[in-house]
Amino acid sequence: MSKKKLFLLDAMALMYRAHFAFIRNPRITSKGLNTSAMFGFTNSLLEIINKENPSHFAVVLDPPGPTFRHDQYPEYKANREEMPEDLRAAFPYLDRLLDALNICKLSVPGFEADDLIGTISAMADPAEFDVYMVTPDKDYAQLVKENVFFYKPQYKGGGYDVLGPAEVEEKFGIPPEHIIDFLGLKGDAVDNIPGIPKIGDKTAVSLIKEYGTVEEIIENVESITKKAIKASIIEHAEQGLLSKELATIKIDVPYEWDEKELRIEHCDLEALMVLMSELEFRTTTQRILNSKLNPNQSELQKDLFGNNVGDAPIPESSIPSDKKTLEEIETDYKLLSSSEERSALIAEIKAAGEVCFDTETTGLDPMMAEIVGISFSTKENTGYFIHFPAEQSMEEVKAILGEFQEILLSPDILKIGQNLKYDILMLRNYDIEVAGPMFDTMLAHYIINPGGKHSMDALAQEYLNYKPVSIETLIGKKGKKQKSMRDVELEPLVQYACEDADITLKLRNKLAPEVKDNNVFDEIEQPLMPILAAMEFEGIRLDADTMADYSEDLAGRLETLEKDIYELAGEEFNINSPKQLGEIMFDKLKLGKGEKQKKTKTGQYVTNEATLEVLAPNHDLPARILAYRGVKKLKSTYVDALPKLINPKSGRIHTTFSQSVAVTGRLSSVNPNLQNIPIKTADGREVRKGFIPRDEDHILVAADYSQVELRIMAAMAGDEAMMMAFKNKADIHRTTAARVFGVEIDEVTPEQRSGAKTVNFGIIYGISAFGLSQRMGISRSEASDIIKNYWEQFPRIKEYMDECVEKAKKTGYSETLFGRKRYLPDIHSGNRTVRSFAERNAINSPIQGTAADIIKKAMLKVDAAFKAANLKSKMVLQVHDELVFDVHQSELEQVKEIVEREMVNAVDIGVPMEVEVGTGQNWLQAH
């Protein structure tokens, strides 16, 4: 007879872990609720249930108020920061989740969760139960025995490590029963358990192996040879004993064992669906419905999919929701099949003075997809769809779309859409232009809430309490079996397409008042969108032969580097394995001898770039590894990948510029990301050689703002010294070095200028003395002195940064010179780490965002000047502070003059802008 499996989850530890796993990209619902902790915890719980199939299960919580340990030692956990507000707000939802899932939750006043877990694990009959303690907390290792296992989440996700007695001893170097001695000696900073000073991990393990318990170590202290350790133990013996007591998990908490209480039961579907809808956990809901917690699992799957479907996923559309759906509202959606019907629609659009439209296509790449249909809506709850079947010729499609050209170009008709740039590009492939006034609901919401979700489905749920038809109900989930819109039956396609246009129109009606008179929306983002569409349509030519030659060169260098690495290591090994590399460097070659080497949570050596850079000056192997990694990444990510993205129809690469991704206002480049091509190394810069003019009649021009963020910082802070340096066209880094290091400008050394440059740019991002010392290779005290001198020389910069933080605390957001807002919900967080992150954003977001606004304004001015001069030349790329143009040779001087003039004069912030303009037969030459 197999043993029963009891899983005990430490709720607080797992909720904390889940919350901070999403700290840089939290999961926020359409109503602004942070669900990171609940999302991570719920999915961990489901993973365990589905993977391990436990018979018994409980979630154990810490009770409110102090515990017996606080009575023993008032400073216990005194250094713990206050729980983040978003995490605190998650616990009522945890209660509701466990109630809805019928999962037992346990807590005993005066005792921590680990004490109750320890007690239950001790009570469980070893002949009947295997107990699994689920927590990232290493203290639980002391409870491990024959039938009790430490079920530890792996570092940064990726499953669990299951530790029995042998695994604990292998990991810690001592058996489970001595973990409390280890903690008594070493202490625990997390819980503010002091331990005995001067005793670290290795010393604690060696003492335990030689003498045994803390008590036995104290008893035999006179035989310890290391004087400093001996003296510390003698002085802090009582503290060591107290620390051991504080670290010992109790196994005699007053709790009555009742295995029936802990049995896995079916969930309360009705309560669960209400909660899941509130949390907006759609995929997670499917997982619950497909688990043993669902009382109707087999019946649901049989009804929906037929017999013997095993673990087939339940469609999202079958999950109950409190949102309205298409079936619940009265609509008038029509398929238009004749020219007469289309003429009537055109007349209706002209009378309305506005129209919302949306294209249905065969794919997500507008440069490669075919149009399947187009939908229109002029008033709420109505929609019209024009279908273009596969057998219809290109000329026939163009002719029908051409009927709407007047409407789409009219300066008197507002064009409305969700992600309009895609539709503009799609129509341009059929020789249809879109111009005149536009309103993009995605961009409008991005301005309102830059950190939110901007998809139509998310906006519909947030603003309309409506759940649109999921595209997956038409074409299935992503993957090889996913269908094309061409394969969808006409009637559901009509309903889906018309709903898209209708819902987008409704969203415009909701969002328009919120962006009324918003300068960032009206004067920057909305007018920039069609310009970006034109840039994407043009694309830029890539010389595949140049890339192929460079790929061969890099392959040869990789071979040479491999040989060098194996020779230096004295053996062949998997260079791409951090584990094997760590063993070679630290166990075999003893690099970094005398310094404690960092290890990951899984126990392997850290071999990241920062570690290798520290070691490289003293040994050739780390330097070769760094070179190998750089060449390998460059080859795979850019040199080999970019030629595969050349569009066969145009012969050029067409990146997508996303306006609604970066909360700072910067544009993002995807598919491919041309903004991330490395330019700080000679190898990285070589990639730019592959980007060339479209033909021999053209040449590339690149124009780059010089030190724009420093100029903005000087202007926004109003620092006279820095502003004057820019007005006098002085070398700002040399000027800074002279002031900070107290020397004449002519006496500034290259090293001092380089250091000043590091400080100048680091200050914008809140660099610390530690960070500066790492970057400059100096001591922390030297770095601290440099920063102190910087504040003394440029006092308004420090004052400005403090003002940014204070303003954000008062308003809840940071703001650019032009009114772009970034909301900072964590600016008042009681958790120092979370709050500090928000404060840094309060300082650098106005600077980054203003830089983004300036280059966008420059793009608008350059585009207008090109059109006014009727130029053939095209703007093709934007990379942060740089614009790239494909210029007709006959227009070269004219373009250079226009670009420099318009970029320099795009705005007046009180500090002059400087632009460097270059030309060349490839991007590298031009830059």
Side-chain angles (χ1 to χ4, degrees), residues 540-543 547 638 642 653 655 657 669 672-679 684-693 699-704 876-885 918-927:
I540 187 167
R541 187 177 167 200
L542 184 77
D543 188 339
M547 290 289 101
Y638 300 106
L642 286 173
I653 281 186
T655 187
F657 293 105
S669 167
N673 183 349
L674 298 183
Q675 294 181 334
N676 272 6
I677 295 175
I679 58 170
R685 288 192 289 271
E686 284 290 307
V687 176
R688 289 194 170 196
K689 276 188 179 178
F691 292 87
I692 58 176
I699 188 169
L700 291 187
V701 170
D704 194 3
V876 291
L877 290 181
Q878 189 260 38
V879 180
H880 302 314
D881 303 325
E882 178 184 9
L883 297 177
V884 180
F885 303 86
T919 63
Q921 289 303 316
N922 60 60
W923 189 6
L924 180 61
Q925 284 182 2
H927 184 77

Side-chain angles (χ1 to χ4, degrees), residues 231-510:
S232 187
I233 293 173
I234 291 171
E235 183 181 352
H236 301 285
E238 289 301 319
Q239 185 170 293
L241 292 169
L242 173 62
S243 296
K244 176 178 177 178
E245 188 175 353
L246 291 172
T248 300
I249 295 174
K250 293 183 74 67
I251 57 172
D252 58 354
V253 171
Y255 166 76
E256 293 186 14
W257 165 263
D258 182 0
E259 73 158 281
K260 294 179 183 177
E261 181 185 29
L262 308 182
R263 287 178 184 166
I264 287 275
E265 303 288 350
H266 288 143
C267 66
D268 179 343
L269 272 181
E270 185 176 349
L272 178 69
M273 292 308 173
V274 171
L275 177 62
M276 291 293 102
S277 176
E278 195 172 332
L279 295 174
E280 299 178 7
F281 285 179
R282 287 172 282 279
T283 304
T284 303
T285 308
Q286 294 174 10
R287 294 186 66 194
I288 296 174
L289 291 176
N290 285 312
S291 76
K292 65 186 290 185
L293 297 172
N294 178 12
N296 304 317
Q297 183 194 13
S298 58
E299 289 81 357
L300 272 170
Q301 291 191 1
K302 182 176 179 181
D303 290 344
L304 292 164
F305 302 105
N307 294 317
N308 302 319
V309 294
D311 293 327
I314 295 171
E316 188 177 312
S317 58
S318 71
I319 299 172
S321 170
D322 63 344
K323 305 288 190 293
K324 294 177 183 176
T325 61
L326 184 58
E327 290 76 20
E328 298 174 61
I329 61 172
E330 220 174 290
T331 59
D332 184 14
Y333 295 163
K334 297 176 181 176
L335 173 68
L336 304 186
S337 304
S338 67
S339 60
E340 290 78 14
E341 290 173 320
R342 295 193 295 271
S343 295
L345 170 59
I346 290 169
E348 183 179 319
I349 292 170
K350 288 180 178 178
E354 63 180 36
V355 63
C356 182
F357 74 96
D358 181 61
T359 58
E360 300 302 334
T361 65
T362 57
L364 298 177
D365 182 353
M367 300 303 297
M368 294 295 291
E370 296 176 4
I371 193 166
V372 176
I374 185 169
S375 55
F376 297 90
S377 181
T378 60
K379 57 184 177 181
E380 294 189 7
N381 297 325
T382 67
Y384 306 93
F385 184 65
I386 299 169
H387 184 224
F388 303 114
E391 60 271 15
Q392 207 161 24
S393 70
M394 172 67 85
E395 292 309 312
E396 289 175 308
V397 174
K398 284 183 178 181
I400 292 173
L401 288 172
E403 296 173 18
F404 293 88
Q405 181 64 91
E406 180 189 359
I407 295 296
L408 295 174
L409 284 175
S410 173
D412 301 317
I413 295 174
L414 177 69
K415 275 70 68 175
I416 303 161
Q418 166 77 14
N419 190 15
L420 261 176
K421 179 156 64 67
Y422 178 90
D423 301 300
I424 290 172
L425 281 167
M426 198 69 234
L427 292 175
R428 190 158 181 176
N429 287 325
Y430 292 83
D431 300 331
I432 302 299
E433 300 286 335
V434 183
M438 302 181 202
F439 190 102
D440 191 321
T441 52
M442 181 179 73
L443 292 181
H445 188 258
Y446 169 67
I447 295 301
I448 294 164
N449 180 15
K453 297 177 181 178
H454 313 302
S455 68
M456 190 197 76
D457 285 12
L459 297 183
Q461 295 188 50
E462 178 181 355
Y463 284 88
L464 308 175
N465 196 38
Y466 183 88
K467 183 178 173 60
V469 174
S470 167
I471 193 170
E472 290 182 355
T473 62
L474 273 70
I475 63 175
K477 290 183 176 292
K478 289 181 180 178
K480 293 181 180 179
K481 294 184 179 179
Q482 189 178 55
K483 297 188 295 184
S484 161
M485 276 295 192
R486 285 264 187 238
D487 306 319
V488 178
E489 292 184 7
L490 189 55
E491 181 52 34
L493 178 59
V494 171
Q495 294 298 304
Y496 175 85
C498 288
E499 183 193 49
D500 275 0
D502 179 22
I503 294 302
T504 300
L505 180 65
K506 290 177 180 177
L507 287 172
R508 190 291 304 260
N509 295 339
K510 292 281 188 181

